Amino acid sequence: MKREPAKFKVNGGIHPAYNKQLTAEKAIIEMPVPSLLRVSMLQHLGAPAKVEVAKGDTVSRGQLIGEHGGFISVRVHAPTSGTVKAIAEAPTATGGSAIAVDIEPDGEDRWVEDITPHPDWESLEGKKLISLVSDAGIAGMGGAGFPTHVKLSPPPGKVIDTLIINGAECEPYLTADHRLMVERAEDIWNGIRIIRKILGCATVRVAIEDNKPDAIAAMEAVMAEDTGDSAVVILKTEYPQGAEKQQIFAALGKEVPSGGLPMDVGALVENVGTTLAIFEAVVKGLPLTERVTTVTGFPVKAPGNILARLGTSYADLLAFCEGLQGKAAKVVSGGPMMGFAQHSLDATTTKTTSGLLFLRPDQVRTFSSMPCISCGRCVQACPMYLMPAELSQMIEAEDIEAAEELNVLDCIECGCCAFECPAHRPLVQHMKQAKAGIMAKRREEKAKQKS
Amino acid sequence: MVEEQKAETPEPVLNVVSTSPHAHSGASVQRIMLDVVIALMPALAAAVWFFGWDALRLTLSCVIACVAIEALCRKAMGRDLGIGDLSAVVTGILLAFNLPPALPTWMAVVGCVFAVAIAKQLFGGIGYNPFNPALIGRVALLISFPVAMTKWSEWTIPSPIGIDALSTATPLGLAKTNVMSAGTLPYHFDGGTMLQLLMGDQNGCIGEVSALALFIGGAYMLWRKVISWHTPGCYLGTVAAFSCILWIVNPEKNLPPHFHLLAGGLMLGAIFMATDMVTSPVTRKGMMVFGVGCGVLTMVIRRWGGYPEGVSFAILLMNSITPLINRATAPRVFGHQRKNKEKAS
Amino acid sequence: MILYTTLAIGGIGLICGSALALAARFLAVHEDPRVEELTAILPGVNCGGCGYAGCGDYAKAVVLDGIEITLCAPGGAETLANMAAFMGVEAESGEKQVAIVLCGGDSDQAPRQFQYNGVADCTAAHAVGGGDKKCRYGCLGYSSCARACPVGAIEITEKNLAVVHPELCISCGKCVRTCPRHLIKMVPESRHAHVMCSSKDKGPIVKKACKVGCIGCRICTKQVEDDAITMDGFLAIVNYDKPIESATVAPKCPGKCIVDTDPPPAPVEEEKVEAEV
Amino acid sequence: MEYILIILGAVLVNNFVLTRFLGICPFLGVSKKLPTALGMCGAVVFVMTSASAVTWVVQNLVLEKLGIGYLQTIAFILVIASFVQLVDIAMKKFSPKLHAALGIFLPLITTNCAVLGVSVLNIQLEYGFLKAVIFGFAASLGFSLALIIFTGLREKIDRANPPKAFQGVAIALVTAGLLSLAFMGFASLVK
């Protein structure tokens, strides 16, 4: 048996209503290319990509339309063949805005010609493999969107000995990763083997929460013949088991130091979706032009796990799921715990869009201005062992220094505190405010030092 | 500081947009307070059983007075009414439970003014008060009207000679005066005495007499996760351990631990007052420190202090150092080394 | 008797005095006396507008690190002259600068695009969905600037717009740094013609988002001489170092976003300020 | 045992700040931040302990002997002022940051009635030298205890939301009152 129970678990965490039953049994369906794709140049964390096409150009699927805009940046490819209709700034799902390329599909959906599959990847060097990943424009598909090729090239001196594949999908409602593991376990496993080869690390742990027994079984089956040190780690179902630092602790019992990266404890965490994208990029030679997004929520008529091209507007996604029954008062890009609320359905999917969630008016809980009653529930729930109650009061009194002293920068914004808060205080927003304030102050100080 | 939904939004179809998380446990302050009120009901029933009309009179007048004063204060300060959170109801019931049955209504109302206006609303209302309002109300009354606040009705005490006698003192008060004057304890301890104290057939403040009823309420709050075991557990444990040591050292002059646990306001204090969220620590470790501190102070005041009962003062004193406890028991942040380890390495 | 008294007190005094003298000698700390003197010259409001933590810190920086003496805005020309005399440098006095919020889109003019639910703070609101105002450049009205202002010179109107009362402004520039949308600018007090819009969007987009936005029609640039108003993309910008006849320009603006602030807005009502603080 | 009772009495039962209401000025003035408060505590412990020793000597060996006991107040203040000056000079040298933070409240220890109070009480209670020093030390400990507790509370109160008329020192005084109410619990703990 290639499975082991998680030996460790961070304290804190919460048990929200998961509601995964809405889509957990629904096979991934591919959505036809919509009438317009608006491909953002900021699909990831870091610098936006530089536009490589001009208005009126004809593009093919997989053709490069955005080149690296810096060291921490990701390439962008045309998700289908068609004509570039416009290049203009457009709002992103996260609330900002970025240059986007509008492509009108020609319906042929023709791939570019220079696609080179590497079924013989095992004979390739690590460096070549990383460049294939970089060329395919892969960013972390769990949500943060960190450029994968950067993650896969640790700086000299850092040794990564353990690869953790994140299949926890601890966010309520979302089932995209779950379905991928059930339906494409074999390909994910090959993706894992590619990463293993790149990093030269022996140990592989696939972390899955115990509410996905079929995914555990599927992954275990494909890993059965592996002779190396690999196993499925079964995590207790609890949010946020999928958070990087918490997951490393759960799987390995190691604490990533404050301000550090997983590589500081010799670990690397990749999402299952990213792993699959790596497989597609290397073995089939296909750049990343589509992803699975869970369109869900009680008001959605036909919720499902939709394989959609990047740049599909949220309105098109919803229409493909047969629209709404009844009213939706809140639209969230991503999961309910860390996703971004949308004020319209104009935003388009990116490499990080794991879900599109619609909430009924009665499910929407508004934050309020009630004072903290010091119940301590947030302190017990915080997986980073912070004291959100104290912090938020300090931040409300605009005492950012005190908050910095209490390590507000370690906050991962998972939302456990605000989930538990009986006074419905906007705790996460307070933390974000303080973090932004501290970062601004540090930048200012740096600028002062320079001048 | 939060912008509520604007009623006069120009277009009716605007989505609500906020930061994450977009899910919530459904807990609310109102629900927590309601749970506390529910948990207090068995004790209220016991109070009515033992003290009759007086219990009902005091409880009702305190609740009405507290809610009214809260509303008046909020109005005077030009803020939202905020009585919907039921915290004033809880304060009212708890204050009433801390009063002797014969106390005139007007005195109870004075206590409510202290509790709600001075100890709570002056600081800005729920969440901001550093001291437990009900206890401030009680202590203010105790100091202002010492005679009325220690006037008890008659009850049958189990006497050491075997003949039951009537007394108008509380079990703890009687013990204190007897030890001081005669140097001996006035009680005869057997199972019957304990049962009497457990059920609540004793003298005392209206809400504190029945340990059993308070215990039922505590169990309900534990089940509803309104409180955790840390504060009351450590409080009761410390009192038990402390009194046990004293008793073993000198059983002639010290009351046995079970007597300390069941008599007086300890159960009410440990289960309902020390667990008041606003004025107790937020960390588990802090709650334990808080409980132990309350226990030690209670026993010090009961044994050596001028008052027969030390629960109110002990909790108020611990309230005062709650911010310091919070600071001292802040958990080690994930990914940070413990301070002493840092020094060592 | 009097002798005893005098001797006793004198003796105690003598012993204490010598102990202190010894202490002062062995524990002496050298301090530049100029720091204290310069601190006395500064206005002492400790607004932090100079970028230092209070007047004392700024004085220290001036004396010890040779930082320029022009940073104290609240002190105005008088303080500057005194400082210059004290430090022995030439003073160049300029006109008093006052802050102005370059947005006229109140809740009647500029609609919101969603219901914002969260902390009532502009920086926080700006980070959630890009701000709830349809215009992504306009004033959000969550009073971050008003809270930052040390003298209460900024009022948030009933229609959710920040307005600076120039007569109260002490030119510390805190609001300029606070506004997440960079709408606040320091301008000479005598200037009355302002483009009350900061939207760089194209005309049609501006029109959808606000009734008093700058649509980039360039009419105003032709009304003035010597590039006193120039275009930054689709936004007209007043060049405050060049003269403008405010009465002639303002009426010509089709978007009604150039305003003539002469006379300035009504002084703040006392109660209003209290409510905001 | 007697000494322990003196200490307990001065720290808990007759706490200088909370039951005798002496030394309220620094109690309110430097209770905003814990490090500053701790610095103040150190200064007060030093001044009070040494002042009670010296004033005892001055009273019993000088003033009494010369029969000029009526000069007590002047003489004591002279001594206390010198001590405070000493602390001031030393602190400026060794901890200029704390010196700046304490600001005006450091020289104001001179007029801190707690210091004069303990010196006068020593004479009134006819304590011997050792008792006087211990009493002075205990009284300063009591002051420190009250100040530290109050500083913790103060940090919470400063974030509270009292009506405008009560903001700042007003609400701090109310809190001090409530705290002294709580300290009543120690009444007659030590006779």
Side-chain angles (χ1 to χ4, degrees), chain A residues 408-441:
Chain A
V408 68
L409 284 180
D410 282 303
C411 171
I412 56 168
E413 298 171 21
C414 64
C416 290
C417 49
F419 177 84
E420 288 288 352
C421 182
H424 301 237
R425 287 163 64 80
L427 294 166
V428 174
Q429 199 173 16
H430 282 147
M431 306 299 154
K432 285 187 176 178
Q433 235 181 314
K435 285 162 86 174
I438 293 167
M439 289 331 243
K441 202 181 77 191

Side-chain angles (χ1 to χ4, degrees), chain C residues 135-151:
Chain C
C135 171
R136 59 196 176 106
Y137 295 95
C139 171
L140 290 168
Y142 291 110
S143 60
S144 289
C145 52
R147 280 198 301 274
C149 181
V151 293

Side-chain angles (χ1 to χ4, degrees), chain A residues 146-419:
Chain A
F146 192 80
T148 304
H149 63 275
V150 181
K151 208 169 172 181
L152 290 177
S153 348
K158 291 278 178 195
V159 183
I160 292 170
D161 50 31
T162 310
L163 171 68
I164 298 175
I165 300 300
N166 183 355
E169 203 164 49
C170 59
E171 273 271 8
Y173 288 96
L174 304 189
T175 53
D177 289 352
H178 178 186
R179 288 314 302 178
L180 282 180
M181 285 187 287
V182 172
E183 293 176 30
R184 305 198 56 187
E186 187 72 47
D187 294 345
I188 293 172
W189 173 240
N190 281 323
I192 294 171
R193 286 171 60 218
I194 295 169
I195 305 175
R196 200 192 221 176
K197 161 123 203 200
I198 292 174
L199 297 171
C201 68
T203 315
V204 171
R205 292 287 176 270
V206 181
I208 306 175
E209 284 190 345
D210 58 10
N211 62 353
K212 297 182 255 299
D214 48 348
I216 294 170
M219 288 311 296
E220 203 187 7
V222 294
M223 290 162 70
E225 279 156 41
D226 180 51
T227 48
D229 178 12
S230 60
V232 174
V233 177
I234 298 159
L235 306 174
K236 206 174 138 253
T237 300
E238 183 179 88
Y239 180 84
Q241 288 272 38
E244 200 169 61
K245 291 181 175 181
Q246 280 67 21
Q247 188 161 72
I248 292 171
F249 186 77
L252 310 174
K254 290 179 185 168
E255 270 188 38
V256 179
S258 166
L261 291 169
M263 64 173 76
D264 292 332
V265 292
L268 185 105
V269 182
E270 283 293 356
N271 170 267
V272 286
T274 320
T275 314
L276 185 65
I278 290 172
F279 164 81
E280 300 258 334
V282 174
V283 179
K284 298 190 185 165
L286 301 177
L288 182 56
T289 56
E290 60 189 1
R291 76 154 289 152
V292 179
T293 298
T294 307
V295 182
T296 183
F298 292 101
V300 179
K301 260 192 197 149
N305 301 297
I306 315 296
L307 180 65
R309 299 294 160 87
L310 302 179
T312 305
S313 83
Y314 288 171
D316 289 336
L317 261 183
L318 178 63
F320 181 70
C321 292
E322 297 173 25
L324 295 174
Q325 46 190 3
K327 250 177 107 176
K330 205 170 198 178
V331 184
V332 180
S333 168
M337 293 306 294
M338 289 186 77
F340 295 89
Q342 304 292 307
H343 56 79
S344 70
L345 294 176
D346 295 343
T348 57
T349 60
T350 63
K351 292 167 185 172
T352 56
T353 314
S354 51
L356 183 61
L357 171 65
F358 294 82
L359 294 173
R360 280 195 314 255
D362 62 299
Q363 289 178 296
V364 177
R365 301 254 178 192
T366 47
F367 295 114
S368 85
S369 55
M370 267 208 79
C372 168
I373 59 161
S374 309
C375 64
R377 291 182 183 191
C378 52
V379 181
Q380 268 85 58
C382 181
M384 292 303 288
Y385 311 156
L386 296 165
M387 298 216 281
E390 297 273 300
L391 284 170
S392 94
Q393 289 181 66
M394 287 169 177
I395 296 159
E396 234 174 22
E398 305 195 347
D399 191 354
I400 305 289
E401 282 85 23
E404 192 178 358
E405 238 170 76
L406 276 186
N407 302 307
V408 68
L409 284 180
D410 282 303
C411 171
I412 56 168
E413 298 171 21
C414 64
C416 290
C417 49
F419 177 84

